[in-house]
Amino acid sequence: MTTRPMTFVQASAAALEEALAIDPTVVMFGEDMADDTGGGVFGVSAGLSTKYGDRVRSTPISEQAIMGAAVGAAVAGLRPVVEIMLMNFMGIAMDQFVNHASKLRFMSGGQTPVPLTVRTATGAGFQQAAQHSDMLEAWFGHVAGCKVVTASNPADAKGLLLSCIFDDDPCIFIENTLLYFGPGAVPGEAPPPGHRVPLGKANVVREGSDVTVVSYGRQVIDAITVVDRLAEEGLSVELIDLRTIMPFDERTVLESVAKTKRAVVVHEAVKRCGVGAEVSSRIHEELFGELAKPVLRVGARTSPVPYSAVLEQAYLPQAPQIEAAIRAVTA
Amino acid sequence: MTAPATDPQVLNRIYELAARIRLCDERVIKMLTGGEMAIIYYPVTGQEVLAAASGAVLRADDYVVTTYRGMHDQVAKGMPFGPLFAEYMGRVSGACKGKGGPMHITYPELGIMVTSGIVGGGLPIANGLGWAAQLLGQDRVTVVNFGDGAANIGAFHEALNLAALWDLPVVFLCQNNRYAEHTSYARSQRNEQVAPRAEGYGMAGVTVDGNDAAAIYSVLAEAVAKARRGEGPTLVEAMTYRFNGHYFGDPQEYMPTEEKKAAKAADPVKALRRKLIDEGHANEEDLAALEARIRAELDEAVAAAKAAPMPDLAELYTDVYAEELAS
Ligand SMILES: Cc1ncc(C[n+]2csc(CCOP(=O)(O)OP(=O)(O)O)c2C)c(N)n1
Ligand SMILES: [Mg+2]
């Protein structure tokens, strides 16, 4: 099989194109998405409105109206894929996403499922400060009824985004802008058409026996560097990429930690009340007696994302902290 | 009392503020082009005069709320260049200690209260500033600046309704530069103008040429005076144009070349300068001297910002709460 390199932006674009091509109920809208308005601020939807016409639309700056229209369209049987340009702007769409999209299936006793997908970009590291960089996955992880998904590489991005679009529940798919354009933006191999990555299933990126590292998104890239270096020292680290952040693949995580007896959870979001707290808690609840050390968490400092580059770099969890945590639980 | 818009002193004052904005904008762009600074900048080029008029109308104790594209509003309100550039460069001497950055410039001592990166985020906040003034018996006025695109977000509707209902001393200044990111005004709503929407809230609404110093000054002076008298809010729609796209470096393919050319040919800062000279309100030498002084001020601000230290890492743990967080 021939493969070609594919960036994160291209991978998301390929997933959108494939979804539009195979299912006429797939529709897309968001700010600046159509070609006469630039094809999306990050260019992910470039070309799609030209090819698929009215099924791909630009909207005014109206996140509440965007999300609400997606809810209605989903209830009426379409599969809307909306773009909320940056994750912080979910603040404006919150009522429609949390109180409506995530709960209508339950509140109606199963009569009105809401198969919509939100694509939203975010991530610190570009000096975009406190209103344009937050990782807010924990907000949504706390809400029963929606699925929270992110990818650490282009192939997963394509496969996971397609799975979100064709999932029958509301999904929020987080795209990291640093993986789009930053140092982690290495192209991966383009998966074949039809490639899907199932939701709810984690990926064991490196097998190991001494300690388990659980992560997702951009921090998987950082963790791979650390884990591979430690392997040279003879430390065998099992690295798990959750892919679906919530509800997460407890089975893969618990089986791994049952084997290694040690775990570190790593994410970019603020450590306090982050997803790491839930993952760590589940490990303690199930494996308390078997753990060699308490589970450690690595996440951002408890601060809004700062502007100044020196502060922003200190805010973010970095490879040295991941390494230190791994050393601490294996000491 | 505000002086009439035809008063040469008023026009000279507007020009001085507009020149400060234009030269500051030019300096930022020069630094970005030359690699002296690497920030994402939302240029205000083309929108200087309306902001300058607002600065000429307002008192030091009046409040201003603005957006990521807010340098003109801040400088018009008196924002000194020193802490502005230091903030842009992430220095501890910046207006916000390097924590907020260009999108969140704040300078309460001159009434620059909130600068938001969230479209429409400032409008409801302006009502709170206005209500506080009303309740505290102060006659200060709040001007909240936002774009044409922001008129389509729910916060706009909610804020205008509440301001009208409570007779708040707020002026809603919609800077209609005809684009919201890459989407043209015409692509965003059916109405040709934003101001007529005011009527739906029981509020006065005026559309005015924001690039005509005397015209925008008169409208703002009246709206501010009315708010100060306790007679409630006004929606002012100032027509203008963005010369340099959404962000600096924007390829601007979506902006028709002819339209851009026409806008630049009618450059409001140059037009005002010409008018002052033609009508005998100023002479070339005086204006050149003024501009040289502003440039020197900018040189000094940039040099000071460059020499200033970066914030200490401990700053991550301060200003998060009133008390310091344990690191
Ligand atoms: C709630 C929200 N949605 C989207 C954005 C992204 N965004 C930043 S500026 C902008 C366009 C705003 O246009 P307008 O209100 O006309 O102001 P202008 O930039 O023209 O000054 C958009 C969509 C944002 N910052 N906040
Ligand atoms: Mg605009």
Side-chain angles (χ1 to χ4, degrees):
Chain A
M1 197 185 68
T2 54
T3 55
R4 62 191 168 86
M6 184 178 254
T7 65
F8 214 102
V9 169
Q10 288 167 333
S12 288
L16 298 182
E17 159 99 64
E18 202 169 310
L20 285 163
I22 62 179
D23 185 343
T25 69
V26 171
V27 293
M28 292 175 195
F29 45 101
E31 292 156 23
D32 287 351
M33 274 185 86
D35 289 329
D36 64 341
T37 57
V41 276
F42 301 115
V44 175
S45 52
L48 298 180
S49 67
T50 303
K51 192 157 174 193
Y52 294 95
D54 236 14
R55 288 167 63 199
V56 180
R57 289 189 175 195
S58 283
T59 66
I61 310 172
S62 310
E63 283 80 6
Q64 186 169 206
I66 293 170
M67 195 64 72
V71 173
V75 167
L78 299 183
R79 286 194 181 275
V81 184
V82 295
E83 178 173 298
I84 296 296
M85 194 180 292
L86 291 179
M87 193 167 201
N88 282 92
F89 312 154
M90 279 300 291
I92 291 153
M94 212 61 176
D95 167 62
Q96 289 296 335
F97 189 75
V98 173
N99 289 325
H100 297 91
S102 302
K103 300 177 181 175
L104 284 180
R105 174 192 289 279
F106 185 82
M107 293 193 303
S108 68
Q111 301 175 89
T112 50
V114 187
L116 69 80
T117 297
V118 181
R119 289 178 42 247
T120 190
T122 193
F126 283 124
Q127 283 198 267
Q128 285 296 288
Q131 294 180 337
H132 283 66
S133 323
D134 277 322
M135 295 294 303
L136 301 172
E137 66 274 16
W139 288 10
F140 303 99
H142 192 64
V143 176
C146 67
K147 295 175 183 171
V148 190
V149 180
T150 198
S152 63
N153 62 78
D156 275 9
K158 185 179 174 206
L160 286 166
L161 180 51
L162 275 164
S163 294
C164 287
I165 296 171
F166 292 105
D167 191 80
D168 287 332
D169 285 312
C171 294
I172 177 160
F173 183 73
I174 306 166
E175 302 177 4
N176 193 297
T177 41
L178 262 92
L179 295 180
Y180 278 167
F181 306 114
V186 280
E189 279 177 4
H195 169 79
R196 300 283 165 90
V197 175
L199 300 186
K201 190 80 196 82
N203 182 30
V204 180
V205 180
R206 293 285 188 273
E207 282 186 28
S209 51
D210 295 333
V211 52
T212 302
V213 172
V214 181
S215 190
Y216 51 85
R218 187 165 75 82
Q219 279 57 42
V220 171
I221 308 297
D222 289 349
I224 288 174
T225 320
V226 173
V227 166
D228 289 351
R229 200 173 49 234
L230 292 175
E232 290 166 19
E233 287 180 21
L235 194 67
S236 172
V237 185
E238 183 141 296
L239 174 60
I240 296 176
D241 178 353
L242 286 181
R243 288 172 158 168
T244 298
I245 301 171
M246 213 53 79
F248 76 100
D249 181 357
E250 293 195 5
R251 187 164 162 188
T252 298
V253 171
L254 294 174
E255 278 177 8
S256 173
V257 184
K259 175 177 74 179
T260 61
K261 319 286 185 211
R262 297 168 157 90
V264 174
V265 192
V266 184
H267 54 58
E268 175 174 330
V270 168
K271 177 174 149 187
R272 189 177 77 180
C273 285
V275 165
E278 176 67 19
V279 174
S280 158
S281 216
R282 289 296 299 130
I283 296 171
H284 286 119
E285 282 168 352
E286 297 298 323
L287 299 169
F288 182 69
E290 297 173 43
L291 290 175
K293 284 276 176 78
V295 178
L296 288 184
R297 292 175 291 148
V298 178
R301 306 290 185 280
T302 306
S303 154
V305 183
Y307 168 72
S308 190
V310 287
L311 294 182
E312 189 180 34
Q313 291 306 312
Y315 160 88
L316 277 169
Q318 310 270 8
Q321 281 113 291
I322 301 174
E323 181 174 335
I326 295 173
R327 290 196 189 281
V329 291
T330 51
Chain B
M1 263 319 293
T2 19
T6 44
D7 182 336
Q9 261 188 327
V10 166
L11 290 176
N12 272 304
R13 173 72 182 142
I14 296 175
Y15 180 73
E16 181 184 347
L17 291 172
R20 291 181 73 80
I21 298 163
R22 170 63 58 89
L23 294 172
C24 181
D25 182 72
E26 278 179 9
R27 179 62 57 99
V28 173
I29 290 173
K30 186 172 153 232
M31 291 173 76
L32 294 175
T33 317
E36 260 181 283
M37 181 164 75
I39 67 170
I40 295 180
Y41 177 62
Y42 301 95
V44 302
T45 342
Q47 301 183 207
E48 298 89 344
V49 164
L50 69 94
S54 162
V57 169
L58 293 178
R59 293 193 322 222
D61 68 336
D62 287 331
Y63 291 141
V64 163
V65 176
T66 186
T67 73
Y68 50 89
R69 191 185 318 283
M71 184 274 278
H72 54 331
D73 302 324
Q74 294 142 3
V75 169
K77 195 65 177 49
M79 180 75 203
F81 296 138
L84 184 81
F85 276 89
E87 189 65 24
Y88 284 10
M89 300 183 91
R91 301 306 207 266
V92 70
S93 55
C96 309
K97 304 182 197 162
K99 296 180 180 189
M103 269 198 283
H104 309 300
I105 298 294
T106 311
Y107 210 73
E109 65 188 84
L110 288 174
I112 302 164
M113 304 306 282
V114 179
T115 300
S116 179
I118 304 296
V119 169
L123 285 86
I125 296 173
N127 283 345
L129 291 166
W131 187 59
Q134 203 181 50
L135 206 69
L136 299 172
Q138 301 162 335
D139 67 347
R140 44 165 59 136
V141 171
T142 300
V143 172
V144 52
N145 298 277
F146 54 96
D148 45 293
N152 299 321
I153 204 155
F156 170 92
H157 162 75
E158 297 183 25
L160 265 74
N161 183 56
L162 190 72
L165 187 69
W166 290 359
D167 277 330
L168 295 175
V170 176
V171 176
F172 294 90
L173 179 48
C174 178
Q175 302 187 11
N176 186 343
N177 60 16
R178 297 192 245 166
Y179 287 90
E181 282 198 346
H182 305 144
T183 301
S184 69
Y185 179 82
R187 267 304 245 110
S188 309
Q189 69 279 294
R190 290 273 183 218
N191 304 333
E192 269 172 37
Q193 302 292 160
V194 172
R197 296 199 210 171
E199 200 191 329
Y201 303 107
M203 183 190 296
V206 193
T207 300
V208 57
D209 181 352
N211 294 344
D212 177 332
I216 178 70
Y217 179 88
S218 308
V219 167
L220 285 174
E222 193 188 321
V224 167
K226 191 176 117 190
R228 220 185 282 294
R229 289 194 303 268
E231 292 166 22
T234 306
L235 171 60
V236 176
E237 177 186 23
M239 300 307 294
T240 186
Y241 197 75
R242 263 179 0 185
F243 284 10
N244 284 313
H246 179 53
Y247 56 90
F248 178 72
D250 181 350
Q252 305 173 33
E253 285 139 353
Y254 55 92
M255 293 163 74
T257 316
E258 285 311 307
E259 180 188 282
K260 264 190 285 191
K261 259 209 223 145
K264 285 185 185 172
D267 185 328
V269 180
K270 288 185 183 158
L272 178 56
R273 194 181 194 281
R274 220 176 304 119
K275 180 183 159 88
L276 289 176
I277 293 173
D278 289 352
E279 294 181 6
H281 305 319
N283 61 51
E284 174 60 39
E285 295 73 50
D286 289 348
L287 295 185
L290 166 73
E291 289 149 5
R293 278 199 304 278
I294 297 170
R295 286 202 176 88
E297 225 183 288
L298 284 162
D299 290 343
E300 201 181 311
V302 171
K306 284 184 178 169
M310 288 294 179
D312 193 274
L313 296 189
E315 290 290 353
L316 263 182
Y317 303 100
T318 63
D319 304 316
V320 179
Y321 294 100
E323 315 83 40
E324 274 189 32
L325 275 183
S327 50

